[in-house]
Amino acid sequence: MWSATDIVSLAAVIGAAVALINYTNKAFLWLHKTSQQAEDLKAVKEEQRVLCVAVSACLDGLLQLGANHNVPKAKQALDDYIRSQAHK
């Protein structure tokens, strides 16, 4: 009924189909992971932006209260960093 070559050919076709499905699934999972990472990166960047604004406001408050020493240097460094990132 079934010859040995028919069985081997059928096994090869089934093996190729399973491999193709496996690679397609891996590609889909990789694309999903990449899009999730992009969303996570946007959230982290927004959080960093809010933190920079908050630190800048704190340093401004300290300067207004008369804090000296490293506060003006830190404020200047933060302002320089924000300006350099805005031009990228």
Side-chain angles (χ1 to χ4, degrees), residues 19-66:
L20 182 63
I21 290 170
N22 188 28
Y23 287 124
T24 303
N25 187 35
K26 284 185 179 183
F28 174 76
L29 291 176
W30 179 78
L31 287 173
H32 179 69
K33 181 180 175 184
T34 302
S35 66
Q36 183 64 39
Q37 286 176 342
E39 291 173 12
D40 291 345
L41 184 60
K42 285 180 185 178
V44 167
K45 285 184 177 182
E46 178 62 19
E47 184 178 344
Q48 287 178 338
R49 186 192 68 78
V50 169
L51 289 173
C52 280
V53 169
V55 169
S56 180
C58 290
L59 291 172
D60 279 339
L62 287 171
L63 284 173
Q64 290 173 8
L65 291 174

Side-chain angles (χ1 to χ4, degrees), residues 66-84:
N68 290 323
H69 196 55
N70 287 332
V71 175
K73 294 175 189 174
K75 176 67 172 141
Q76 186 62 43
L78 181 61
D79 288 343
D80 291 344
Y81 172 76
I82 291 171
R83 274 191 222 98
S84 69

